[in-house]
């Protein structure tokens, strides 16, 4: 049934006019569910776990994508009050059109819904909104005492507009973040080369670790500047003139710094400003954000956590200050005023066995 019968009259365009659309204005396109996988479930009492349900989500999106001949960025599916009744929904398509759908149910589709919704239907009489995407799986109640998501029925167009995939607004969201960060970015100022070298030598004298000799990192520095839009920090360049990796002390090499910076920039690009923002730092030294492209990681704290140089400090911070951030941090945390001061902390804080490095 590839694209059969889908005319422009079915599609909703993603623009400001969408906000005016009401449920009764919409024509729902009948879409088939017969090609779903998992037929063994029909004659089985086995209840698949989370991984199987996520496979169903991906398969359902694929089955619908084949019929509309376009990638689906997000799928809304509205459950009826009885599992075997009609399911309505909305496909957010790659071309920024939204296709309202009415699912032509199959025995397997209803079996999957029974599995997905088995806890949702216990002891209550209300509908739910399933939200599916490649990295999303959620079931939200419609109705109940709060009735928040009744908007899908009484403010349909506005609800769809407000809950569209981020990709629909990539340019706008990127500009919003760029404008916000531009207020805080401060280029690196003068650095105390002698202080960095002295602190490094004192650290090395204390622990006497093996280390790789300095490497020629000019190409990496150029690639960083081209990608990031600002220069590879001079303080880190001075540090990397002294080593190219130290045994048991997890300083990153220039190549690793670039790699980790790109990894965290990807997260920054994927999140909205609202998602990145956290509660502000009460000392106003570090921005209350989960990550920014102006944090340059240089020291591995393990498990996805890093020390970084910060070039977008809050009003009481200084450019080039050292912060901790990462998977286990809600937001960046201030550590030291500069790289030399951070290296000085090794004299008292670094465990010689390299097991516990804790601030």
């Amino acid at each position: 049934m590839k694209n059969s019968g889908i005319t422009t009259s079915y599609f909703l365009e993603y623009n400001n006019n969408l906000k005016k659309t009401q449920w009764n204005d919409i024509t729902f396109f009948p879409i088939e569910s017969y090609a779903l996988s998992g037929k063994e479930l029909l004659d089985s009492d086995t209840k698949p776990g989370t991984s199987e349900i996520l496979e169903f989500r991906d398969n359902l999106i694929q089955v619908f994508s084949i019929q509309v001949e376009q990638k689906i960025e997000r799928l809304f599916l509205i459950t009826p009050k009885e599992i075997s009744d009609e399911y309505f929904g909305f496909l957010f398509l790659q071309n920024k059109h939204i296709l309202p759908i009415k699912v032509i149910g199959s025995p397997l589709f209803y079996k999957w819904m029974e599995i997905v919704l088995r806890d949702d239907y216990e002891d209550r009489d209300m509908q739910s909104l399933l939200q599916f995407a490649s990295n999303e799986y959620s079931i939200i109640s419609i109705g109940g005492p709060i009735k928040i998501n009744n908007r899908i029925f009484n403010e349909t167009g506005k609800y769809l507009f407000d809950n569209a995939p981020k990709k629909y607004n990539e340019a706008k969201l990127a500009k919003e973040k760029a404008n916000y960060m531009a207020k805080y970015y401060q280029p690196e100022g003068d650095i105390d080369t002698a202080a960095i070298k002295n602190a490094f030598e004192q650290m090395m004298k204390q622990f006497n670790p093996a280390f790789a000799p300095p490497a020629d990192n000019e190409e990496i520095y150029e690639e960083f500047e081209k990608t990031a839009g600002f220069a590879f920090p001079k303080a880190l360049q001075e540090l990397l003139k002294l080593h190219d990796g130290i045994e048991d002390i997890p300083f990153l090499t220039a190549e690793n710094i670039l790699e980790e910076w790109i990894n965290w920039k990807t997260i920054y690009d994927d999140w909205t400003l609202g998602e990145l923002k956290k509660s502000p730092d009460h000392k106003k030294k570090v921005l209350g954000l989960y990550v920014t492209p102006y944090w340059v990681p240089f020291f591995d704290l393990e498990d996805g956590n890093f020390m970084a140089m910060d070039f977008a400090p809050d009003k009481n911070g200084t450019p080039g200050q050292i912060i901790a951030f990462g998977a286990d941090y809600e937001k960046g945390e201030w550590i030291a005023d500069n790289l030399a001061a951070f290296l000085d902390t090794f004299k008292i804080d670094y465990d010689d066995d390299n097991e516990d490095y804790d601030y």
Side-chain angles (χ1 to χ4, degrees):
M1 178 185 144
K2 273 194 175 183
N3 219 17
S4 175
I6 307 182
T7 62
T8 55
S9 62
Y10 284 105
F11 292 103
L12 304 175
E13 291 190 41
Y14 182 74
N15 55 37
N16 283 326
N17 290 331
L18 175 63
K19 299 176 186 178
K20 302 174 186 176
T21 302
Q22 300 298 317
W23 183 273
N24 292 333
D25 300 331
I26 296 171
T27 303
F28 291 87
F29 175 74
I31 197 164
E32 294 179 356
S33 60
Y34 295 105
L36 283 169
S37 61
K39 290 184 172 56
E40 67 277 1
L41 292 173
L42 293 175
D43 300 316
S44 171
D45 293 328
T46 303
K47 293 183 177 180
T50 301
S51 62
E52 288 82 9
I53 291 175
L54 295 181
E55 286 181 21
F56 159 71
R57 171 202 66 186
D58 296 340
N59 183 224
L60 184 64
I61 290 174
Q62 180 186 36
V63 167
F64 290 168
S65 295
I66 290 171
Q67 293 178 65
V68 301
E69 297 183 318
Q70 192 173 158
K71 182 181 177 183
I72 294 170
E73 299 290 348
R74 200 176 196 191
L75 163 63
F76 281 178
L77 201 60
I78 301 165
T79 70
K81 291 187 176 180
E82 298 293 334
I83 288 180
S84 59
D85 286 348
E86 290 183 325
Y87 286 71
F88 293 89
F90 298 90
L91 306 182
F92 293 85
L93 305 177
Q94 191 176 34
N95 66 358
K96 296 189 180 181
H97 282 72
I98 302 168
L99 178 64
I101 58 170
K102 178 172 67 175
V103 180
I104 300 174
S106 63
L108 185 54
F109 174 79
Y110 292 130
K111 181 67 175 179
W112 268 116
M113 287 299 100
E114 183 181 339
I115 292 167
V116 171
L117 301 168
R118 61 178 177 261
D119 298 325
D120 210 46
Y121 272 89
E122 288 184 2
D123 302 321
R124 67 181 196 156
D125 181 27
M126 64 177 65
Q127 295 172 271
S128 296
L129 174 65
L130 279 65
Q131 298 183 354
F132 289 167
S134 60
N135 60 349
E136 178 182 16
Y137 171 80
S138 63
I139 302 176
I140 302 173
S141 297
I142 300 176
I146 301 178
K147 299 183 183 297
I148 293 174
N149 287 289
N150 269 355
R151 288 181 59 210
I152 193 68
F153 294 124
N154 56 37
E155 296 179 354
T156 305
K158 190 171 188 310
Y159 189 87
L160 295 175
F161 186 92
D162 292 343
N163 291 277
K166 295 174 191 173
K167 286 191 175 181
Y168 279 26
N169 291 291
E170 274 183 320
K172 178 182 176 182
L173 294 174
K175 184 177 180 180
E176 181 183 27
K177 285 188 288 188
N179 289 342
Y180 180 83
M181 294 309 305
K183 296 184 294 185
Y184 294 98
Y185 168 63
Q186 295 183 52
E188 188 175 23
D190 295 333
I191 62 169
D192 190 337
T193 302
I196 293 172
K197 184 177 180 181
N198 181 63
F200 178 82
E201 289 175 348
Q202 291 299 317
M203 179 188 72
M204 298 296 280
K205 187 181 297 184
Q206 180 175 350
F207 302 112
N208 194 31
F211 68 99
D216 182 355
N217 294 314
E218 287 305 318
E219 288 187 7
I220 294 174
Y221 299 156
E222 290 174 8
E223 184 178 352
F224 179 92
E225 183 166 0
K226 182 179 178 181
T227 307
F230 62 97
F232 193 98
K234 290 179 289 186
L236 292 181
Q237 291 188 43
E238 290 300 321
L239 182 62
L240 289 165
K241 288 178 181 178
L242 304 171
H243 78 93
D244 190 44
I246 305 173
E247 184 179 13
D248 294 333
I249 304 180
F251 283 98
L252 302 180
T253 64
E255 184 177 1
N256 294 149
I257 289 172
L258 175 60
E259 180 181 302
E260 291 299 341
W261 182 88
I262 290 173
N263 289 340
W264 284 99
K265 177 64 160 56
T266 300
I267 295 172
Y268 173 83
D269 289 342
D270 285 345
W271 289 27
T272 66
L273 181 59
E275 291 168 332
L276 291 166
K277 279 187 173 181
K278 307 300 177 182
S279 57
D281 170 27
H282 70 281
K283 293 182 178 179
K284 296 291 183 183
K285 286 191 170 186
V286 184
L287 288 180
L289 296 176
Y290 180 63
V291 67
T292 90
Y294 298 111
W295 295 350
V296 183
F298 68 90
F299 188 94
D300 189 353
L301 294 174
E302 298 185 342
D303 300 324
N305 303 297
F306 298 89
M307 296 293 183
M309 295 195 72
D310 175 13
F311 298 102
D314 208 343
K315 64 180 183 180
N316 293 334
T318 56
Q321 65 187 5
I322 308 304
I323 65 163
F325 81 104
D328 297 327
Y329 290 82
E330 180 192 20
K331 58 188 177 183
E333 294 184 9
W334 183 88
I335 299 297
D337 282 329
N338 52 52
L339 183 59
F342 170 75
L343 295 175
D344 277 339
T345 65
F346 278 70
K347 290 185 289 190
I348 55 174
D349 287 325
Y350 195 85
D351 182 345
D352 199 16
D353 293 330
N354 193 33
E355 293 294 332
D356 298 303
Y357 188 62
D358 190 13
Y359 283 95

